[in-house]
Amino acid sequence: MRIGELSRRAGVSVPTIKYYVREGLLPAGQLTSPNQASYEETHVRRLRLIRALLDVGGLSVAAIREVIVAIDDPELPLHEMLGTAAQRVAPSHDGAAGGQTEGSRAAARKAVAELIARRGWRSHPLSPAGEALAVALAALEDVGHGSFVEVLDDYADAAEGVARADLDYVARNVAREDLVESVVVGTVLGDAVFAALRRLAQVDASDRLYGTER
């Protein structure tokens, strides 16, 4: 297909397509003449992934390039490739969050490490997700709710169930690019879905526990 058709099918302007090619996000088309190139279905899929990483994942061009490199490396194990995508989408918590004390952050990191060890998770406490959890726990401690750690395993039980559902969904795809798109969309929008389900369940549980009898 010509670049015009590629633009129509992918919903991306021709100048943007050329920009992605220059930035190394999209492979160049096969030259058919000095000023004409032919594109394939793989280009449509790649453009769809780039838009998902940009619009849903909120990644920068540099971060997308890292994901693309991981996808195009056939020697990179699938687990590491998906991990690269998930890590780029996950929020980063470098350094101490505003208002948090060193003591509360240290205690939170210890709680995260103990949780991971206790559950036998193949995760690292200082990973982006581990740091995000530590930030949240430290914030709870600083506002007087440090006892929240007592329900961490209940939350972990729910998280394991959601993680299994996530991977079951991802496993329905075969192409590496489709797998990454599923991870990105599932992580970002899946978080929103889970948050909404949690709110609905909280309303129900609160009404059953504290609501007036009908």
Side-chain angles (χ1 to χ4, degrees), residues 49-70:
L49 173 63
I50 293 170
R51 297 313 306 180
L53 292 169
L54 277 170
D55 300 335
V56 181
L59 272 65
S60 66
V61 169
I64 293 174
R65 190 180 296 109
E66 289 184 29
V67 176
I68 295 299
V69 168

Side-chain angles (χ1 to χ4, degrees), residues 28-49:
Q30 181 68 40
L31 285 178
T32 56
S33 67
N35 59 354
Q36 291 286 344
S38 176
Y39 298 86
E40 301 177 354
E41 194 65 32
T42 53
H43 289 88
V44 176
R45 183 182 298 135
R46 175 61 58 87
L47 282 171
R48 185 179 67 181
L49 173 63

